[in-house]
Amino acid sequence: MCKKKILCSVIFIGMILWIIIDSCRPDHLFSAGENRLLQQKPSFSGQRFLEEAYQQEYEKYLSDQFLFRDKWVSLKTKLDILSGKKEINGVYLANDGSLIERHLPSEIDPDIAEKKLYDLCNLIKKYEQFNKNKMKETDIKVMLVPTADIIYREKLPPYAGYFDQTAYLHKANNILGEEHFIDVERVLSEHSDEYLYYRTDHHWTTLGAFYGYQEYCKVMKKDSLIEFKKPKHKLQTVSNDFYGSLSRKTQLYKRPDEIILYRTPGDQEVRVSYDGVRESKQGIYDFDAVASARDQYEIFLGGNHGFARIETECENQRTLLVIKDSYANCMIPFLISDYKRIVIVDPRHYRGSMDELVRNEDFTQILVLYNVIHFIDA
């Protein structure tokens, strides 16, 4: 009985000390491991205390600011692996040691997914009409990129579920029309034994993006729209210690990725301006992203911005509008040899009017480029 009392006292004192230490230390603003801002303590008032929103914010605050949080998450991951789990926090542990983001059919509403395609179809018709009114032709293409769980299906754990993106892409082709849709699933599947997706991140690699660019060129040439230059690319490895979003989700940092650039002549001569207010910057790549502690994938265009404009040394007068998510970031450098000007819009962050942008600027081509899941969720 005496030993039990001593043990209870030690545990109680330990809990009090833990609470004191946790409450005295300053809150962290940013998690480098997860690459996101952490929830700060919500402002308190008697009225807010009873509100559900306040309680949810405070619960998130306690979760984000918990003492030694990253170490506890890492420990839980290790215990999950030892217990034989093949999926952690929405990420599959592939049989080759890579991490593959999970996308289940139950997580996607089929009606919403189909509506997204019809909404895009209507948008294409509207933008084509804008240019008919200006007596100009603007070609509009759509590239929806399947995620790693589709191309790397054979790497998934046994009986792992996945959303049937193949069927969805077939539906996209039917609804949007072959004249607008660019199929990249076929070429990626043909090269599925290659390094098309990062092992620790949800993005495709520059090799995957290069195959996507080649399909874009083939379609544009077939349509007799433009003749693309074929500059020789010089491969440059800028990082061999890249850990991406899936490492941050699982706290697994075993096998880093490489970031390889396909350098083209003049890629550091172009001028890039962001969000209409930032001073233009020379060069398509942000090498500071690799040197700093932030997400190394931001070497491509410096990360995601609502609006960016690229002025190239290209001699033709063709202009391109890219409506995109982050999958486009590593494919855009391939396009700087083909267009005089490239305007990039990420609708998640853009605060202007897309309709006004298309009306006011004479784009030769428009490219909508998303991965399938982000497109459905957009």
Side-chain angles (χ1 to χ4, degrees):
M1 184 66 69
C2 182
K3 289 181 179 179
K4 286 184 179 180
K5 288 182 178 180
I6 293 173
L7 179 61
C8 290
S9 299
V10 170
I11 293 174
F12 179 73
I13 293 170
M15 291 176 62
I16 296 297
L17 289 174
W18 182 287
I19 293 171
I20 292 173
I21 294 171
D22 194 34
S23 61
C24 290
R25 68 180 178 85
D27 290 341
H28 296 292
L29 294 175
F30 184 78
S31 169
E34 296 173 84
N35 193 36
R36 68 177 180 88
L37 293 171
L38 298 175
Q39 175 70 48
Q40 302 302 294
K41 183 180 289 185
S43 57
F44 175 83
S45 70
Q47 182 178 354
R48 286 208 69 207
F49 180 73
L50 299 176
E51 294 177 356
E52 184 179 356
Y54 174 84
Q55 296 170 18
Q56 291 175 346
E57 286 180 27
Y58 201 84
E59 183 179 349
K60 184 72 164 57
Y61 164 73
L62 292 176
S63 174
D64 278 4
Q65 301 295 340
F66 193 74
L67 190 62
F68 304 132
R69 177 178 179 273
D70 289 347
K71 294 186 184 302
W72 287 113
V73 172
S74 179
L75 176 61
K76 181 182 181 301
T77 295
K78 291 175 182 176
L79 292 174
D80 285 342
I81 293 173
L82 288 174
S83 68
K85 287 191 69 173
K86 294 296 183 180
E87 181 266 314
I88 296 172
N89 200 20
V91 179
Y92 287 128
L93 308 182
N95 54 31
D96 67 346
S98 58
L99 306 174
I100 298 178
E101 193 168 34
R102 183 197 68 189
H103 306 109
L104 297 177
S106 59
E107 298 170 341
I108 296 172
D109 186 320
D111 294 332
I112 292 177
E114 184 171 330
K115 182 177 182 298
K116 291 287 185 178
L117 294 173
Y118 282 108
D119 288 345
L120 180 56
C121 186
N122 292 332
L123 191 72
I124 290 172
K125 292 176 181 177
K126 179 168 66 171
Y127 288 170
E128 286 179 331
Q129 187 60 46
F130 285 171
N131 289 286
K132 285 180 181 177
N133 294 340
K134 294 187 291 186
M135 304 301 289
K136 284 185 68 70
E137 289 292 330
T138 297
D139 184 69
I140 304 175
K141 300 296 183 189
V142 176
M143 182 184 293
L144 300 180
V145 184
T147 52
D149 51 331
I150 297 303
I151 303 303
Y152 287 164
R153 274 191 292 254
E154 293 185 358
K155 295 183 179 183
L156 298 180
Y159 311 111
Y162 56 86
F163 172 66
D164 190 353
Q165 296 178 40
T166 301
Y168 186 74
L169 290 169
H170 180 72
K171 182 178 292 187
N173 185 57
N174 290 336
I175 292 174
L176 302 175
E178 292 184 359
E179 69 275 18
H180 296 299
F181 186 73
I182 299 177
D183 175 23
V184 293
E185 184 193 17
R186 178 188 55 79
V187 67
L188 294 177
S189 296
E190 289 173 356
H191 295 270
S192 61
D193 59 338
E194 299 177 31
Y195 188 40
L196 304 180
Y197 298 86
Y198 292 111
R199 292 183 294 269
T200 69
D201 192 74
H202 67 284
H203 293 101
W204 59 352
T205 64
T206 40
L207 176 60
F210 178 67
Y211 287 131
Y213 169 69
Q214 286 185 319
E215 289 304 301
Y216 180 73
C217 293
K218 288 177 185 177
V219 169
M220 301 303 273
K221 185 176 181 180
K222 178 183 175 183
D223 289 354
S224 300
L225 293 168
I226 52 179
E227 189 68 36
F228 283 86
K229 292 181 180 179
K230 293 294 185 292
K232 290 185 178 180
H233 296 100
K234 181 180 179 182
L235 272 61
Q236 178 186 2
T237 301
V238 294
S239 174
N240 54 18
D241 61 353
F242 169 49
Y243 289 103
S245 59
L246 304 183
S247 279
R248 295 191 291 268
K249 286 183 74 172
T250 60
Q251 290 294 301
L252 285 173
Y253 298 93
K254 287 186 177 180
R255 191 181 174 197
D257 279 295
E258 293 180 331
I259 296 180
I260 301 171
L261 306 183
Y262 283 54
R263 303 299 301 274
T264 57
D267 61 15
Q268 286 304 101
E269 307 299 322
V270 302
R271 305 294 299 182
V272 186
S273 58
Y274 300 105
D275 300 318
V277 293
R278 287 179 54 180
E279 188 175 320
S280 63
K281 181 177 180 181
Q282 189 165 357
I284 195 73
Y285 297 112
D286 184 357
F287 290 98
D288 290 341
V290 172
S292 70
R294 71 178 196 263
D295 186 358
Q296 292 187 10
Y297 187 77
E298 291 187 357
I299 190 172
F300 303 106
L301 301 177
N304 294 312
H305 306 273
F307 181 90
R309 185 186 299 270
I310 302 173
E311 303 289 342
T312 78
E313 300 296 316
C314 192
E315 295 178 358
N316 65 56
Q317 297 302 311
R318 293 192 293 262
T319 59
L320 171 69
L321 169 63
V322 181
I323 303 171
K324 61 90 180 182
D325 70 354
S326 58
Y327 257 55
N329 293 7
C330 65
M331 193 180 113
I332 287 171
F334 292 112
L335 297 164
I336 62 174
S337 300
D338 306 310
Y339 294 95
K340 180 70 175 177
R341 179 165 49 91
I342 301 175
V343 173
I344 305 162
V345 172
D346 188 331
R348 297 171 299 177
H349 309 290
Y350 184 56
R351 296 296 174 260
S353 167
M354 190 83 72
D355 289 357
E356 289 300 314
L357 179 65
V358 176
R359 276 198 186 100
N360 295 336
E361 301 209 30
D362 294 328
F363 294 112
T364 312
Q365 274 86 38
I366 296 176
L367 172 64
V368 179
L369 200 167
Y370 282 78
N371 85 43
V372 172
I373 303 300
H374 285 178
F375 172 76
I376 294 172
D377 290 340

